[in-house]
Amino acid sequence: MNKFNSTKINKLNMKVVILAGGYGSRIADHSDLPKPMIPVGKHPLIVHIMRIYIQQGFKKFIIPVGYKGYVIKKYFKKKQKDFSDCEIQIVETGLSSYTGTRLKKIKHLINEDNFMLTYGDGLSNIDLKKLIRFHIKHKKTITVTAVHPPARFGELELNSTNLVKKFEEKPQLQSGWINGGFFVLKRNFFNLIPDENVMIEKAPLALAAKKKQFMAFKHGGFWHCIDNRRDHKNIEKIYKRGDAPWIDLNK
């Protein structure tokens, strides 16, 4: 029997940290909102992200907030009944704190050996239990989900005479891997975050790589980051046509 089966993974009872301190400044229609509160259909983006975890059995959330954090607090206070089976802690981590600093400021809330972390703007149909099994198997400090980025423009496939053999509008690229978020981390990762205001993508991850404590879990399925207005419109279009790969719309 696989010692990392689903039941045992759920019993790990991992907490999920969702970094939610960012501005929505590059999404003009909603620049007055914290980025994770930008709506996708009838729910804010952060709820879509939470449902990725909830539907796979993970219901303990820590949400470090910054810009207009009160908007996030007000929303979850109003929607308490919708999340009655979840544990949600919303923590003020400063308006100008970078991602690494926000994470370090919630260190006292995590006593478990491992925890999960993601950004407040990415959606994916990732299998979290496979990700966790991978992380535990390799025994490294941090595991990141590596994804193929969606193309910003239509992709052309040409032959030797420049005849277009194939055209695909905004496909998921199949070459190259990027940081897709959806991390699993050992608690000792906090030791890699310096005391100064720092982004998690800078010194902490670079140091983990240098120490050979950084693994990548390759995810070739759906992944999309909402970074600007065009991304937002694309995700809205996917959701409205009843095809949201990141969640079960029937739940």
Side-chain angles (χ1 to χ4, degrees):
M1 180 181 289
N2 187 339
K3 66 178 180 177
F4 302 131
N5 64 35
S6 297
T7 303
K8 290 191 175 183
I9 284 174
N10 280 341
K11 285 183 178 178
L12 290 174
N13 212 16
M14 286 190 190
K15 291 179 179 175
V16 180
V17 179
I18 302 176
L19 296 169
Y23 298 78
S25 56
R26 283 190 283 184
I27 304 176
D29 299 344
H30 303 286
S31 59
D32 59 330
L33 290 173
K35 195 175 184 184
M37 291 302 293
I38 291 169
V40 174
K42 59 184 178 181
H43 301 294
L45 177 55
I46 193 169
V47 171
H48 287 268
I49 295 168
M50 290 172 69
R51 285 178 68 186
I52 296 169
Y53 289 92
I54 291 168
Q55 290 181 182
Q56 298 186 55
F58 302 97
K59 300 181 179 182
K60 293 187 176 184
F61 298 94
I62 302 170
I63 306 175
V65 298
Y67 176 67
K68 291 193 175 181
Y70 65 86
V71 175
I72 298 175
K73 289 181 179 179
K74 184 178 179 180
Y75 176 85
F76 283 104
K77 186 175 181 180
K78 182 179 178 181
K79 297 287 186 178
Q80 283 181 53
K81 290 183 179 179
D82 294 348
F83 299 93
S84 59
D85 62 341
C86 295
E87 178 184 302
I88 302 172
Q89 296 175 282
I90 300 173
V91 185
E92 289 283 355
T93 53
L95 183 63
S96 58
S97 296
Y98 293 138
T99 50
T101 303
R102 290 192 195 284
L103 181 58
K104 194 160 189 175
K105 286 184 177 183
I106 56 90
K107 175 183 177 181
H108 63 288
L109 298 175
I110 298 176
N111 298 311
E112 298 77 12
D113 292 336
N114 294 279
F115 66 99
M116 289 184 280
L117 168 72
T118 196
Y119 301 110
D121 60 3
L123 299 170
S124 178
N125 64 349
I126 183 169
D127 185 326
L128 295 168
K129 291 169 187 176
K130 283 186 178 180
L131 168 63
I132 292 168
R133 281 195 289 269
F134 180 93
H135 174 75
I136 293 172
K137 177 182 177 181
H138 288 87
K139 300 179 181 180
K140 301 298 185 183
T141 298
I142 182 167
T143 300
V144 65
T145 299
V147 298
H148 294 303
R152 291 294 184 186
F153 305 98
E155 185 177 43
L156 298 171
E157 184 179 331
L158 309 179
N159 70 7
S160 59
T161 63
N162 293 332
L163 179 71
V164 176
K165 294 167 59 181
K166 181 181 178 183
F167 175 78
E168 191 173 355
E169 179 61 14
K170 297 179 181 175
Q172 197 87 2
L173 297 181
Q174 295 305 306
S175 59
W177 297 92
I178 64 169
N179 168 11
F182 297 97
F183 299 90
V184 186
L185 308 96
K186 288 186 179 180
R187 193 177 185 278
N188 63 10
F189 179 75
F190 289 113
N191 298 333
L192 302 181
I193 305 175
D195 291 334
E196 66 265 25
N197 196 12
V198 64
M199 295 178 69
I200 192 173
E201 302 81 8
K202 299 292 184 180
L205 293 189
L207 186 55
K210 185 177 180 180
K211 290 177 174 287
K212 297 183 179 179
Q213 288 295 313
F214 194 178
M215 294 296 296
F217 172 78
K218 291 181 177 179
H219 172 66
F222 177 87
W223 178 88
H224 207 300
C225 175
I226 297 181
D227 193 45
N228 53 46
R229 187 177 184 182
R230 178 173 53 198
D231 294 331
H232 182 233
K233 286 187 177 296
N234 191 35
I235 285 294
E236 279 273 278
K237 187 186 302 180
I238 293 170
Y239 182 78
K240 286 179 179 178
R241 73 184 182 215
D243 175 24
W246 60 91
I247 53 172
D248 184 348
L249 290 172
N250 297 314
K251 292 184 180 181

